[in-house]
Each structure stands twice: as C-alpha cells, then as structure tokens.
Amino acid sequence: MDSLHLDQHISQQYNADLEKLRTALLEMGGLVEDQLADATRAIETADGELAEKVLKTEKKVDKFEIDIDKECTTILARRQPAASDLRLVLMVTKAIRDLERMGDEAAKIAKMALALNDDGESPRGYVELRHLAAQVGKLVNVALDAFARFDVYAAIKVVRDDKDIDIEYRSSLRELITYMMEDPRSIKRVMNIMWALRSLERIGDHARNIAEHVIYLVHGMDVRHISPSEIEKQLEKQR
Amino acid sequence: MDSLHLDQHISQQYNADLEKLRTALLEMGGLVEDQLADATRAIETADGELAEKVLKTEKKVDKFEIDIDKECTTILARRQPAASDLRLVLMVTKAIRDLERMGDEAAKIAKMALALNDDGESPRGYVELRHLAAQVGKLVNVALDAFARFDVYAAIKVVRDDKDIDIEYRSSLRELITYMMEDPRSIKRVMNIMWALRSLERIGDHARNIAEHVIYLVHGMDVRHISPSEIEKQLEKQR
C-alpha cells in the first residue's frame, strides 16, 4: 500500500460500507474475468453452450453495476465523504462502468463464437486470438489486483502493457487482412475473428482505465492521456 | 422540464457552480459534435487537413473532461449536494466520459480518413457512411438537447433511435463484406470504411448513454439495460 490508507471512522457502519464497496467491485471483477476466459475458450473449442453461459453472466454483471452504483450514491448522500474516501467512491462509480463494458465486450466475443458455429469455423486467426486473449486476461487480472492492493506500480505496469497489446492487436489485424486477400471465401469467417480481436483490444483499454483510476485513488492525480514514463516522473516529484 | 427542478440555494455561489457545470458539459458536447461532423467530411472529401484538425480538437475535449471532473469532485467535497443536485453532479461525471469516448471515436474516424489517403480511396461504402453519420450526428444533437432542457421524452427518443442505428450499421457491414468478396483487392480500403462505421455505431451508443443519464437525472431511475417501451411504462407508473 503506497500512500493511501482509508481513514478509520468513528462510525463502524461507515467503515463497513466502504469495505463492502471494495469487495463488491472485486467480486464483479472476478465475474468479468470468468466471462473473458469462457468467451475465448468458446471460440477456440467452438463450444456453443459455453458461449451461452457468457451471455447469461452478462445479466449478473449488469446487476452488479446498478447495485454498486446505487450504493455509491447512498454513501455520497448519507456520509458526505471527503478526501481519499470521496476518491474511493468516485473511483468505484467509474470502475464499475469499465467492468460492465468489459462484460459487454466478452459477450460480443461469445456472440462471435456462436457466429463461427453458424458461418463455419475460420480457417485462420485462432493463434492470434489465443495469444491476445492470454495477454488481455493477464492485464485484467493485474488491474484488479492493483485495485485490491492499492498498488500504484502494478497500475503503471498495466498502462504500459496495454500499449504492447495495442501493437500486438494491430499486427494481428494486418495478418488477418492478408489471409482474407489470399482466400476471399473466408472473409466472413475471418471477420468474426477480427471483431473478437477488436473486443479484446477494448477490454485491454478498460483494464488500463481501471489502473488509471487506481493511480487517481492513491495519489489524487488524474493520469489519463499521460504516458507511463510521464506518470512515473510525476510520482517521483510527489515524494 | 419534467419533474426536475434544481434546488435554489441560499449560496449564490453554489447555484453558479452547478450552472457552470451544465454549461461546460454542453460546451464540451458542442466540440464533440464538430469533431464528428468534421471527421465524416474528412473521409468523404479525402481532406487530410480537416482530419488533422479533428485530431487536434481531441486534446481540447480531453482537457474539458479532466477540468469538469475536477470541478465535480470539488463540488462534492465542498457542497455535499443531496437529491437532484447530487444526481446532477454524478450525471455530469458520467456524461463527460461518454463525450470523451465520442471524441476518441471521432479521432479514429479521422485516422481512417488519413489511412484512406495513404491506402487509396475505397471504391465502396461512402453512401453507407454518409447515411449512418447523418443519423448518428442527429442522435448526438438530440441527446445533448435532452440534457440542456432536462427533456425525458427526447431522451427516450434517443434510446429508441439508437436501436435503428444498430440495425442500419449491421446492414451496412453485410453490404461491405459482399463488396470485399467481389473485389478482394479492395479489402484493405473497405476495411477502413468499416472501422469508421464501427466508430459511428459506438458514438451512437454513447449518445444513448447520455440520454439514459438524463432520465436518471430527472427521475432518479436507472434505465440502463431496459427497453424504451419498458422505460415509458415505468415513467407512467411514477405519475
């Protein structure tokens, strides 16, 4: 834990409310991680049932978002938090939106798995997909971990690694365009893989957002639109 | 104005702060509307300079987001708003993220305009693009207007029209896949149009989010993941 410690409040209930928020966010995060893993496996193994499971889980993720958001509003209205408590509540209202979007994108990947069942499997792109999915899954895990431990350095690592994922993604796209040009009959099927790659890249962006929220939470510093090395420089100055 | 009226506060300054938030959000929205119009025109007229202008405007939009977000945090800490004021502030923190994303997507469209300059213009897809861009531009305008006038019925119209845009988008994609299969040498260029269409569809989603925030602001009702007719039913019940 870097420079953040949540204030201890005279009201036990207030402490419990804040702790509950944190736990709920991590629980929601765990659900989204499962969705992502299942959706990718559904494409690879052409498993329609697993894809349907991902679609069902989306409803649970949506419910988490609405419930946690309500809880945040209640805390703001009743407790009127200040300083790091206020940042925590605001951070949670933002992070749950990112998680909900990640769940959305995982559902899109699951739909692509179903489309591949209908249109016929893609002759190409599985290697690229598996590779990117593994990287993105790791990124999501580190981002949630950074939140769980208020770990700014893990958060900066996420911002940095997301850049590699974007490079990887663009190179996969180029590969797939080449495949399509070589075998135009495969276009429709390869497009399904392409949309899935796109969703993975978006999930990476949302993981980076969560990491940026963690940095804001711990340091009160808004680091969106700033490069990782610039973030580190600014953190050094704060010491 | 439906059932919302912002409370009048003893503090003139507080009233002024809330009004400033509203104005800033609308100003940011105007900037994003310009970006969207310019980006689409940059593709249609292969205008590289206009595309560069969109990319430059993105920085301004980003700055708006950071400044407004800070202002919201300050108001929450100092004024400890309740009821509809609290909803307004929370709504603004969410809507600016949507606007920033819309600006991001407009920038992606501008990049596609630049790519079309490099890869050669696409033989197809301009009609679809122009059509979808007009629909999405209108949607964004109505969403911002719904916020400016706290107009729930305009907001519901946005939620509904976004569904039409999704249908339109999917039918355009099918067209473009057919073009690519007919003329595989055009794949790379048509893909640029496809990504631009995708960005337009996302911008539509964000406009719908803003509309949903307006409904939440006015009625305190979370309408995400609910159909437009279900929203209307629930509003009827509230009467």
Side-chain angles (χ1 to χ4, degrees):
Chain A
M1 214 181 287
D2 204 71
S3 71
L4 180 89
H5 68 105
L6 294 175
D7 297 332
Q8 286 302 309
H9 304 279
I10 294 170
S11 160
Q12 289 287 337
Q13 187 56 43
Y14 186 12
N15 285 332
D17 286 351
L18 291 178
E19 191 49 42
K20 221 176 83 187
L21 264 194
R22 240 185 104 188
T23 315
L25 186 112
L26 287 172
E27 212 177 316
M28 183 180 176
L31 218 49
V32 171
E33 281 192 279
D34 290 347
Q35 268 190 302
L36 174 57
D38 287 346
T40 320
R41 204 147 53 86
I43 287 197
E44 282 188 64
T45 59
D47 185 338
E49 258 178 65
L50 197 57
E52 296 288 355
K53 184 188 153 203
V54 174
L55 297 179
K56 261 183 219 139
T57 309
E58 209 197 345
K59 292 207 174 32
K60 278 193 222 170
V61 172
D62 291 349
K63 192 170 172 339
F64 256 110
E65 188 199 7
I66 289 176
D67 290 347
I68 298 177
D69 209 19
K70 247 185 223 161
E71 185 60 26
C72 287
T73 310
T74 307
I75 293 178
L76 287 170
R78 284 208 197 135
R79 307 286 182 183
Q80 307 172 330
S84 66
D85 294 335
L86 176 57
R87 290 208 302 275
L88 174 69
V89 177
L90 289 177
M91 183 272 180
V92 170
T93 64
K94 287 173 186 170
I96 52 175
R97 273 194 88 187
D98 284 303
L99 286 174
E100 190 266 338
R101 294 299 156 80
M102 288 157 103
D104 246 25
E105 296 294 341
K108 281 186 198 163
I109 297 173
K111 279 179 198 152
M112 289 307 135
L114 295 174
L116 284 165
N117 280 350
D118 291 344
D119 301 341
E121 286 184 53
S122 164
R124 300 283 194 130
Y126 286 101
V127 177
E128 289 82 356
L129 184 86
R130 191 178 313 133
H131 195 68
L132 198 68
Q135 278 184 293
V136 170
K138 185 120 204 301
L139 198 75
V140 174
N141 191 270
V142 177
L144 288 170
D145 213 48
F147 173 68
R149 295 184 289 113
F150 298 141
D151 182 340
V152 172
Y153 292 95
I156 294 175
K157 189 176 156 29
V158 170
V159 176
R160 186 163 277 141
D161 290 353
D162 182 47
K163 289 219 182 301
D164 295 338
I165 285 177
D166 289 348
I167 292 167
E168 184 82 27
Y169 163 69
R170 278 196 293 273
S171 117
S172 302
L173 282 193
R174 278 193 297 272
E175 288 285 306
L176 292 189
I177 287 178
T178 310
Y179 296 154
M180 289 198 291
M181 291 171 88
E182 283 167 9
D183 178 11
R185 286 162 312 164
S186 74
I187 289 178
K188 215 172 152 192
R189 290 172 286 162
V190 175
M191 281 300 301
N192 288 324
I193 299 285
M194 239 165 171
W195 295 127
L197 288 173
R198 176 79 160 192
S199 287
L200 286 174
E201 185 260 345
R202 305 287 313 192
I203 292 175
D205 286 348
H206 289 293
R208 192 195 61 222
N209 290 344
I210 291 178
E212 287 172 347
H213 299 321
V214 170
I215 299 172
Y216 165 76
L217 170 62
V218 177
H219 286 283
M221 187 169 95
D222 198 326
V223 295
R224 285 171 293 191
H225 321 299
I226 299 181
S227 75
S229 44
E230 188 56 35
I231 297 172
E232 277 174 343
K233 247 187 253 168
Q234 296 204 15
L235 290 182
E236 280 306 316
K237 269 193 234 160
Q238 281 196 6
R239 287 185 177 273
Chain B
M1 214 181 284
D2 205 72
S3 71
L4 181 88
H5 68 105
L6 293 176
D7 296 332
Q8 287 301 309
H9 304 280
I10 295 170
S11 160
Q12 288 288 336
Q13 186 54 44
Y14 186 12
N15 286 331
D17 286 351
L18 290 178
E19 191 50 42
K20 222 176 81 187
L21 265 194
R22 241 186 102 187
T23 314
L25 186 111
L26 288 172
E27 212 177 316
M28 182 179 176
L31 218 51
V32 171
E33 281 192 280
D34 291 347
Q35 267 191 303
L36 174 57
D38 288 345
T40 320
R41 205 148 51 87
I43 287 198
E44 281 188 63
T45 59
D47 186 338
E49 260 177 61
L50 198 57
E52 296 289 355
K53 187 188 151 204
V54 174
L55 297 180
K56 262 181 217 138
T57 309
E58 209 198 344
K59 291 207 176 26
K60 278 193 224 171
V61 172
D62 290 349
K63 193 171 171 340
F64 255 110
E65 188 199 5
I66 289 176
D67 290 347
I68 298 176
D69 208 19
K70 249 185 220 158
E71 186 58 26
C72 288
T73 310
T74 309
I75 293 177
L76 286 171
R78 283 206 200 136
R79 306 287 181 181
Q80 306 174 329
S84 66
D85 295 334
L86 176 58
R87 289 209 302 274
L88 175 69
V89 177
L90 288 178
M91 183 272 181
V92 170
T93 64
K94 286 173 186 172
I96 51 175
R97 273 195 89 186
D98 283 303
L99 286 174
E100 190 264 339
R101 295 298 157 80
M102 288 156 101
D104 246 28
E105 297 294 340
K108 281 185 198 164
I109 298 174
K111 278 179 198 153
M112 289 306 136
L114 295 174
L116 284 165
N117 281 349
D118 293 344
D119 301 343
E121 285 183 54
S122 165
R124 300 284 194 126
Y126 287 100
V127 177
E128 288 82 356
L129 184 85
R130 191 178 312 132
H131 195 69
L132 197 69
Q135 278 184 292
V136 170
K138 184 120 205 301
L139 198 75
V140 174
N141 192 270
V142 177
L144 289 170
D145 214 47
F147 172 68
R149 296 184 289 113
F150 297 140
D151 181 341
V152 172
Y153 292 95
I156 294 175
K157 189 176 156 29
V158 171
V159 177
R160 186 164 276 141
D161 289 354
D162 182 47
K163 288 219 183 301
D164 295 338
I165 286 178
D166 289 349
I167 292 166
E168 184 82 27
Y169 163 70
R170 277 196 293 273
S171 117
S172 301
L173 282 193
R174 277 193 298 272
E175 287 285 306
L176 292 188
I177 287 178
T178 310
Y179 296 154
M180 290 199 289
M181 290 171 88
E182 281 166 11
D183 177 12
R185 287 161 312 164
S186 74
I187 288 178
K188 216 174 150 191
R189 292 172 287 161
V190 175
M191 281 301 301
N192 288 325
I193 299 284
M194 236 163 175
W195 295 128
L197 289 173
R198 176 80 160 191
S199 287
L200 286 173
E201 185 259 346
R202 305 288 312 193
I203 291 174
D205 285 348
H206 289 294
R208 190 196 61 219
N209 289 344
I210 291 178
E212 287 172 347
H213 299 323
V214 170
I215 299 173
Y216 165 75
L217 171 62
V218 176
H219 286 285
M221 187 169 95
D222 198 326
V223 294
R224 287 171 292 192
H225 322 298
I226 297 181
S227 74
S229 46
E230 188 56 35
I231 296 172
E232 277 174 343
K233 246 187 255 169
Q234 296 204 15
L235 291 182
E236 280 306 315
K237 267 193 235 159
Q238 280 196 4
R239 288 185 176 272

